[in-house]
Amino acid sequence: MLKKFFYIFFGLLILIQFVPVNLPEVRAENPNDLVQNTSIDKDIVTMLKNSCYDCHSNETVYPWYSYVAPVSFLVSRDTRVGREKLNFSEWNTFSKLDKLSALDDIAEAIEYGEMPMKIYPITHLDAKLSDDDQEKFLEWAESFAEMIME
Amino acid sequence: MKTALTLIALLTLALGLSSFEYSNSTYTSFEEVDTFQLPENINTIFQNSCYGCHNNDAKAKKAKMKFNIDKLSSLKKSKLVSKLNKVAKEVKNDDMPTEKILEKYPKMALSSEQKEVLISWAESTAAALLAE
């Protein structure tokens, strides 16, 4: 009984490896990138890169297991949706209004604990934002928005 | 057939132009007031269709955090611009008031005229703030 279950389980696992997955493309050259074009505090840059950039930029770093189904399904969807909603690699192409809205969204997502997604720090330990980090990040978002207003 | 199509096209154009005119006339200048104040017509719309979920004492935490009408006047300009932008977006997409509440209280629905007034007010006020 148990043996049969394992056969089926591994059979399925092997089978789903053949389902085509489209991991969003990684691009190294991003002339409109936020971090490259803006003077931002080092601590904030670290947080952005560690906690956000895998899903919200073109510089995604795919770990080995992101090529293995079913994890690959989740990673490809989250990365695609993340980039669609907010892509820091395209920051300089945003209008003032879109930048301000994005910073407001960012503040909301952090205050509400929506971002980074709960599942992400399980495998990316340095992605977790401490209360102190969150506060710093919120302060940055607010002062950056004020700067954009001017 | 062709004339009918031309007529429809012209009519659409005329309607589009008239609504443009209209949106300009409802433009509420922000510069006149120092602290942010809701114009009377906007306040009425908010009270009827939005305030229940978006006030200081609202039970819906998320709704209150994302858009709190009581707090609009104390927001930094950069935040206010974004909130106005989002009001316009939500109303344009028919996302607000929520579908659920409209099933229960159909009276909270925005008329197409109210939508237009709200959107043009939100957009023009945001643009004026940005231009300051």
Side-chain angles (χ1 to χ4, degrees):
Chain A
M1 182 61 204
L2 204 63
K3 219 168 154 185
K4 202 168 160 192
F5 174 78
F6 274 112
Y7 278 139
I8 292 174
F9 179 78
F10 285 107
L12 277 176
L13 201 64
I14 291 167
L15 218 74
I16 60 171
Q17 302 310 316
F18 293 97
V19 178
V21 193
N22 219 341
L23 289 175
E25 181 195 0
V26 175
R27 248 169 291 159
E29 293 283 315
N30 298 293
N32 291 313
D33 179 64
L34 167 70
V35 169
Q36 279 178 43
N37 293 289
T38 322
S39 114
I40 303 175
D41 211 54
K42 225 177 69 201
D43 290 352
I44 304 294
V45 172
T46 308
M47 285 187 231
L48 280 166
K49 294 269 178 174
N50 286 346
S51 309
C52 320
Y53 261 52
D54 267 344
C55 291
H56 293 290
S57 84
N58 297 335
E59 300 172 39
T60 311
V61 179
Y62 291 117
W64 65 267
Y65 50 81
S66 62
Y67 296 99
V68 182
V71 178
S72 52
F73 304 152
L74 294 179
V75 173
S76 74
R77 188 203 53 197
D78 288 346
T79 310
R80 183 173 44 78
V81 174
R83 286 185 190 180
E84 269 168 22
K85 293 219 168 169
L86 172 64
N87 189 341
F88 288 120
S89 300
E90 314 284 339
W91 184 261
N92 269 19
T93 66
F94 294 4
S95 68
K96 252 188 184 183
L97 202 55
D98 285 341
K99 284 179 183 168
L100 293 173
S101 295
L103 287 167
D104 185 22
D105 283 337
I106 289 169
E108 281 173 359
I110 289 187
E111 267 176 86
Y112 217 73
E114 286 174 327
M115 288 288 146
M117 279 169 68
K118 291 276 179 305
I119 197 173
Y120 185 69
I122 296 175
T123 51
H124 297 79
L125 296 179
D126 50 7
K128 206 166 166 63
L129 297 178
S130 66
D131 289 352
D132 202 40
D133 289 339
Q134 292 193 357
E135 209 163 297
K136 269 191 207 155
F137 203 87
L138 287 173
E139 270 170 32
W140 167 74
E142 196 166 298
S143 59
F144 188 32
E146 285 293 299
M147 227 175 76
I148 291 168
M149 268 312 270
E150 274 160 21
Chain B
M1 188 60 203
K2 220 172 173 183
T3 40
L5 274 178
T6 321
L7 251 164
I8 291 172
L10 276 174
L11 223 82
T12 320
L13 193 72
L15 265 173
L17 281 175
S18 67
S19 68
F20 186 71
E21 190 88 5
Y22 180 62
S23 65
N24 273 344
S25 66
T26 51
Y27 175 90
T28 1
S29 170
F30 181 77
E31 283 125 281
E32 289 160 18
V33 274
D34 235 346
T35 54
F36 184 70
Q37 265 182 339
L38 290 175
E40 202 47 50
N41 60 338
I42 301 299
N43 196 28
T44 310
I45 298 176
F46 273 170
Q47 291 294 338
N48 183 52
S49 302
C50 321
Y51 193 71
C53 302
H54 293 291
N55 71 82
N56 270 336
D57 303 316
K59 282 202 203 93
K61 246 197 197 159
K62 207 172 190 178
K64 179 166 79 172
M65 190 202 72
K66 292 196 166 181
F67 179 60
N68 184 343
I69 295 171
D70 287 329
K71 275 210 180 126
L72 284 181
S73 61
S74 63
L75 287 180
K76 282 207 164 121
K77 258 197 220 165
S78 54
K79 275 263 172 191
L80 183 55
V81 168
S82 159
K83 298 300 179 197
L84 289 166
N85 187 31
K86 284 174 184 177
V87 166
K89 257 192 206 155
E90 296 291 320
V91 175
K92 262 186 203 167
N93 296 337
D94 283 329
D95 285 336
M96 289 290 147
T98 55
E99 234 173 273
K100 248 190 185 162
I101 201 80
L102 290 182
E103 275 169 26
K104 235 172 142 187
Y105 304 102
K107 269 197 181 150
M108 285 173 74
L110 298 168
S111 69
S112 50
E113 193 186 320
Q114 284 178 319
K115 277 182 206 166
E116 214 170 299
V117 169
L118 205 50
I119 292 167
S120 69
W121 165 77
E123 285 183 342
S124 60
T125 311
L129 281 166
L130 271 178
E132 258 175 39

